[in-house]
Amino acid sequence: MKAKEIQDLIDFIAKSGLNEVNIETEEFKIKVRKNADAKIVEYAPTAPIATSQPPTTKNETPVETPTPPKEEVDNKNYVIIKSPMIGTFYRSSNPESESFVKVGDQISVGETVCIIEAMKLFNEIESEVSGTIVKVLCENSTPVEYEQDLFLVDPA
Amino acid sequence: MYKILAKTLFVGRKLHYLPSCHSTNDIASELLAQKKATEGTLIITDDQIAGRGQRGNAWESVPYQNVTLSVVLLPNFLHPKDQFLMTMMISVALIDLLCAFLPDGLRIKWPNDIYYYDRKIAGILIESAIQQEDIESTIIGIGLNVNQSQFITPNAISLFQITNRQFHLEGIISRLCETMEKRYLELKGGDWTTLKSTYSKSLYRLNQVHRFQSTEAFTGKIRGVEDTGKICIEVNGKILTFDFKEVKFIA
C-alpha cells in the first residue's frame, strides 16, 4: 500500500467522524485511531513490500537500510507533519538551494522541513518530532491547504 | 557604527551592526538560533551584498546610502492564519515614518511594497519560524531607499530623488523603531481594526479603475483586503478575491 493511499484512507476516515478503524486484508492490516490532538497510524504489512524505500536513500544511508527483523517492521507509528496554514509548499529556501529534507533523512525537533509561503510571508515550518522522513506528501511549489499532510515521519 | 536613540521600550534597544553582510535576515536567523536575539533586536548593515527580496529576487542597494535592516519580533500571540496582520503592521509603520517627509503620494502596493506614486521606495521581506501552530519568531527585513541617487531597477525611487536632500540614516532608523513599536503594540493589544483600516485606506490604486491580469485580463477597482490578505477587487458590481499568485497589476 502506497503512502498516498494511506493518506487518502486517513482523510476519508477523518471525514467519516469515526474514532477508530481497523482494516485487514490479505496484504495488510491497518489501524487508524483519532484523538483530540494527535493522529496515530499503525501500519503493519502482512506481506513483505518490495519497494518500501526509494533506491536513492539506500546509497546515502547504506548502514540503516538493511531489512530489520520482522517484529520491528510491524506496528510502525508514523507521525504526520501538517501545514499550519494555506499557502504554497516549498522544499528549499530558494530555487537554487537544496531541499531542507529528503526521504531517509534524520530530523530533530525544531529542524526546518519546508517553507510555506502565504501572501509573500515566508514561513519555515519546523518539525515537532524527531525521526526519519518516510515520505514527502506534497509536490514542491504547489498549493497546500490548512492541515494538509506534508511529511510522513517515523518517530525516533 | 550606528547610534540609535529611539524612544522605545524594546525595538532597537539591542543592536547588531555589521559593516557588510550577505543578508540581515540571514544574520537575524543565525542570532535567533544561537539565542542571541531577543524581541526588538535590530540587525543593521551598510553593505548588504546579497540582499534578498521574494524567493530568489535580489534587493539593490548602494553601500552607505540606504536603510537595510532586519528586526526580530516574537508574535506568539498570533495564530499563523492571522499573520497577514504582521504585513499590515510593518507596512503601516513605514507609512507612518515616511509621511513625515512625504506628505502625499505614499501608498502600500498590495501586499507589502511601499510606493511613492508609481515607484517603489521600500520593500519588506517577512520570514517566520513556525512549529505546529505557534509562531516562534518573525524576522522582518526592510529595505528603504534613502540617499541613493540612481537605480538600475527601473521603478525604484529614493527619498533623495524625491526631496533633493540627504538624510541621516540613524535618525530615520530611530524613527522607524518608534513607528514600528507603536504599531506592533497596537497589534499585540488587540486593536486590529485600526491597523486593518489604515492599511486598507493606504492601498495603491484603491477605488480606481484599473486593469488586472488573472487567468485573463479584466478591469476592476480595488476595494480592500480580507483578513487573510487576499485582495478584494470589484468587477462588474461583484467583489472578487484573489491570492497574491492569482492576480497581477497591469500598468
Side-chain angles (χ1 to χ4, degrees):
Chain A
M1 198 175 184
K2 288 179 187 147
K4 176 77 176 83
E5 292 170 317
I6 299 173
Q7 285 313 301
D8 290 347
L9 186 62
I10 292 167
D11 288 344
F12 176 76
I13 293 163
K15 280 174 195 143
S16 73
L18 296 167
N19 281 325
E20 187 169 330
V21 175
N22 296 295
I23 299 168
E24 194 169 346
T25 73
E26 281 176 1
E27 291 165 8
F28 69 89
K29 192 163 88 178
I30 187 162
K31 181 166 145 188
V32 179
R33 201 166 59 223
K34 207 164 69 175
N35 64 36
D37 42 26
K39 204 185 278 176
I40 296 162
V41 186
E42 291 180 31
Y43 176 54
T46 48
I49 301 170
T51 53
S52 60
Q53 281 199 319
T56 47
T57 57
K58 278 188 181 161
N59 296 336
E60 284 157 25
T61 53
V63 190
E64 287 166 32
T65 38
T67 36
K70 219 173 182 338
E71 302 87 274
E72 282 183 41
V73 179
D74 290 345
N75 297 321
K76 282 246 179 258
N77 293 325
Y78 290 147
V79 174
I80 294 161
I81 301 176
K82 290 169 174 290
S83 177
M85 67 191 73
I86 298 169
T88 306
F89 172 80
Y90 292 109
R91 293 191 57 192
S92 63
S93 59
N94 67 62
E96 288 83 42
S97 58
E98 281 200 27
S99 296
F100 292 109
V101 290
K102 306 183 293 294
V103 170
D105 281 1
Q106 295 286 327
I107 54 161
S108 48
V109 174
E111 193 171 327
T112 302
V113 289
C114 65
I115 282 179
I116 310 267
E117 183 260 298
M119 289 298 162
K120 287 174 102 176
L121 291 145
F122 292 81
N123 300 290
E124 292 190 344
I125 308 303
E126 298 178 347
S127 177
E128 68 264 24
V129 288
S130 58
T132 311
I133 300 280
V134 176
K135 178 104 185 163
V136 183
L137 304 164
C138 289
E139 283 286 314
N140 185 43
S141 199
T142 57
V144 289
E145 290 299 319
Y146 176 54
E147 295 212 310
Q148 186 171 330
D149 300 338
L150 306 175
F151 296 93
L152 198 61
V153 180
D154 185 0
Chain B
M1 194 59 208
Y2 283 81
K3 265 208 187 101
I4 303 302
L5 303 165
K7 295 184 196 91
T8 54
L9 296 170
F10 54 96
V11 176
R13 303 308 293 181
K14 208 168 157 185
L15 173 72
H16 288 261
Y17 168 74
L18 299 115
S20 147
C21 78
H22 272 84
S23 140
T24 52
N25 268 31
D26 291 349
I27 301 291
S29 172
E30 284 167 24
L31 290 171
L32 270 168
Q34 297 159 8
K35 312 232 180 287
K36 286 182 187 165
T38 52
E39 184 152 68
T41 298
L42 277 194
I43 296 91
I44 304 179
T45 189
D46 273 318
D47 187 8
Q48 188 165 234
I49 299 156
R52 290 183 291 121
Q54 312 298 326
R55 273 195 88 75
N57 290 350
W59 180 259
E60 180 198 344
S61 179
V62 168
Y64 306 102
Q65 304 288 298
N66 304 307
V67 170
T68 44
L69 60 78
S70 297
V71 62
V72 172
L73 292 172
L74 310 172
N76 47 22
F77 54 89
L78 275 184
H79 187 277
K81 71 176 168 52
D82 294 320
Q83 62 169 338
F84 194 74
L85 285 159
M86 290 298 280
T87 298
M88 292 185 176
M89 182 279 291
I90 192 64
S91 305
V92 169
L94 277 162
I95 296 284
D96 290 345
L97 164 78
L98 293 171
C99 69
F101 315 113
L102 309 172
D104 52 37
L106 277 174
R107 292 272 149 204
I108 300 164
K109 180 167 182 273
W110 175 80
N112 63 357
D113 286 330
I114 308 301
Y115 267 44
Y116 177 74
Y117 290 99
D118 290 315
R119 293 166 82 181
K120 183 167 165 175
I121 189 161
I124 299 160
L125 176 64
I126 304 180
E127 297 179 292
S128 298
I130 293 178
Q131 202 178 112
Q132 287 183 300
E133 308 226 326
D134 297 317
I135 302 180
E136 306 217 307
S137 61
T138 295
I139 299 165
I140 302 176
I142 296 166
L144 168 63
N145 300 329
V146 182
N147 294 323
Q148 191 165 332
S149 57
Q150 284 180 341
F151 290 91
I152 303 161
T153 317
N155 75 330
I157 196 163
S158 69
L159 274 175
F160 170 76
Q161 287 176 316
I162 303 163
T163 61
N164 203 29
R165 58 175 266 227
Q166 296 277 326
F167 290 80
H168 284 291
L169 297 183
E170 286 179 350
I172 298 230
I173 295 169
S174 299
R175 185 78 193 107
L176 175 62
C177 289
E178 290 164 9
T179 61
M180 203 189 320
E181 184 170 288
K182 178 176 162 270
R183 291 298 181 177
Y184 183 67
L185 289 176
E186 207 168 272
L187 173 64
K188 202 171 177 175
D191 186 4
W192 296 1
T193 322
T194 310
L195 214 47
K196 284 179 195 172
S197 69
T198 314
Y199 176 91
S200 286
K201 73 170 194 246
S202 308
L203 281 172
Y204 175 69
R205 293 188 171 172
L206 180 72
N207 297 330
Q208 297 171 9
V209 179
H210 277 283
R211 297 281 290 164
F212 298 91
Q213 181 71 45
S214 185
T215 40
E216 52 192 50
F218 64 93
T219 303
K221 274 184 205 172
I222 293 175
R223 289 304 197 186
V225 290
E226 286 189 327
D227 289 358
T228 57
K230 283 190 176 187
I231 195 163
C232 307
I233 304 178
E234 186 183 326
V235 185
N236 298 326
K238 268 194 229 154
I239 301 283
L240 305 178
T241 63
F242 298 89
D243 194 287
F244 171 60
K245 288 189 176 59
E246 294 168 343
V247 69
K248 296 265 176 295
F249 290 69
I250 299 176

